[in-house]
Amino acid sequence: MKRFTKRVEDFTCAHCGADVLGNGYTNHCPKCLWSRHVDNNPGDRASDCGGMMRPISVKPDKDGYIITHKCEKCGKTINQHSAPNDDIDTIISISSNPDFIFGK
């Protein structure tokens, strides 16, 4: 059973360098959409991996989008909801550009 732990944390994106203000639900950079593999269950910060998580796909959802991230270190994939402040141009780029998805 997954348990959610709300954590309000600000961070600097390790991929693009953007300063990100957390709201307790923030799980990726709103500018580049990259994430970090830090949780086993949402918000627990219990993962030993720490790898960078590439946004590999985006699909529409009733309340926005579902972003699929893949860890570049261990290969784990995680689906996350988009946030209202996510960059729509980046969402479009990921959803329509296979070169971005595969890191070419």
Side-chain angles (χ1 to χ4, degrees):
M1 171 188 233
K2 289 187 177 182
R3 296 182 190 159
F4 175 76
T5 303
K6 184 176 179 180
R7 292 183 185 268
V8 179
E9 299 173 316
D10 299 339
F11 61 94
T12 299
C13 177
H15 181 257
C16 74
D19 290 323
V20 179
L21 298 177
N23 65 8
Y25 303 98
T26 308
N27 54 27
H28 59 269
C29 174
K31 182 177 176 186
C32 68
L33 305 183
W34 280 64
S35 185
R36 213 163 185 162
H37 190 183
V38 295
D39 295 337
N40 289 327
N41 292 306
D44 68 9
R45 303 302 184 259
S47 175
D48 292 331
C49 179
M52 291 301 298
M53 299 195 76
R54 175 186 297 275
I56 60 168
S57 69
V58 175
K59 63 182 177 180
D61 185 50
K62 62 183 178 191
D63 297 321
Y65 300 91
I66 298 293
I67 303 167
T68 301
H69 289 94
K70 183 174 183 178
C71 181
E72 296 202 310
K73 184 175 178 183
C74 74
K76 182 174 183 170
T77 58
I78 299 173
N79 291 326
Q80 300 179 349
H81 292 279
S82 64
N85 63 334
D86 285 348
D87 186 278
I88 192 65
D89 291 332
T90 303
I91 289 172
I92 292 167
S93 176
I94 293 168
S95 66
S96 63
N97 186 352
D99 287 343
F100 182 91
I101 293 170
F102 297 110
K104 295 180 182 173

